Amino acid sequence: MKKLASVLLASCISVGLIPATSFAGEGENKVHKAKRHHMKPLAHIEKRLLSAKAVKHLALTDTQQTELKAVFETYKSRLAALKETQPQAKPHKAFREIIEAETFDKAQAQILLEEHAPKKQAFILTMLEARHAIHHILTAEQREKIAQRKGKFLAKMRHKD
């Protein structure tokens, strides 16, 4: 009787642990997804240029800081408007359907790319305009400091490999 009770207790405990272990991985996935999440366009530039360390290193004036903030807000709203006008879910779903099809339909893929191209071009154009505006707010000395820091960073990244 004691053996039966111990076997029953062990099976209940093991059955109880199975769902707990299967749910344990979900929390880890959420953490990994959060780490992999990409920043919104221009957010990384804004973070680098308007951080306290960057403001001090580049000696940004108050007017430059306000101009940079205005540029970031303007172009963020433009990029958001681009995102709203053409939802991204449709092309990704269509691309997946082409990939999963039995045979590759080159004509359908080209049509999809042609439909997707104007949005990408508008996005790149907006990003280039924003970077141009930022470039001309900074002085030549500030641009040189940024170029030096970027060079050091790239050299460090090459040595990491």
Side-chain angles (χ1 to χ4, degrees), residues 98 101 103-114:
I98 289 174
T103 59
F104 181 72
D105 188 2
K106 190 173 184 176
Q108 182 66 23
Q110 287 177 335
I111 291 170
L112 244 156
L113 289 173
E114 288 171 2

Side-chain angles (χ1 to χ4, degrees), residues 79-106:
L79 291 170
L82 273 175
K83 189 174 184 179
E84 289 175 9
T85 58
Q86 297 177 346
Q88 273 191 328
K90 181 186 170 193
H92 291 295
K93 185 177 181 182
F95 288 141
R96 191 173 348 109
E97 289 174 358
I98 289 174
I99 291 169
E100 294 172 353
E102 290 295 320
T103 59
F104 181 72
D105 188 2
K106 190 173 184 176

Side-chain angles (χ1 to χ4, degrees), residues 36-100:
R36 287 185 306 192
H37 179 71
H38 297 288
M39 295 178 80
K40 292 186 178 191
L42 294 177
H44 62 284
I45 299 171
E46 180 179 18
K47 184 178 178 181
R48 283 193 216 136
L49 281 178
L50 294 178
S51 69
K53 187 176 180 179
V55 169
K56 182 180 174 185
H57 177 73
L58 296 174
L60 292 174
T61 63
D62 290 336
T63 56
Q64 285 179 318
Q65 289 178 43
T66 56
E67 287 175 4
L68 286 171
K69 287 177 185 176
V71 166
F72 289 126
E73 289 304 315
T74 301
Y75 287 98
K76 278 183 189 177
S77 63
R78 282 191 191 176
L79 291 170
L82 273 175
K83 189 174 184 179
E84 289 175 9
T85 58
Q86 297 177 346
Q88 273 191 328
K90 181 186 170 193
H92 291 295
K93 185 177 181 182
F95 288 141
R96 191 173 348 109
E97 289 174 358
I98 289 174
I99 291 169
E100 294 172 353

Side-chain angles (χ1 to χ4, degrees), residues 9-23:
L9 180 64
S11 65
C12 288
I13 291 173
S14 64
V15 170
L17 290 178
I18 291 173
T21 57
S22 65
F23 292 124

Side-chain angles (χ1 to χ4, degrees), residues 106-137:
K106 190 173 184 176
Q108 182 66 23
Q110 287 177 335
I111 291 170
L112 244 156
L113 289 173
E114 288 171 2
E115 290 174 359
H116 193 62
K119 178 183 177 184
K120 188 165 185 118
Q121 289 174 353
F123 177 81
I124 291 172
L125 181 65
T126 305
M127 290 294 291
L128 288 173
E129 286 178 23
R131 286 177 163 237
H132 178 267
I134 292 166
H135 181 78
H136 289 285
I137 290 173

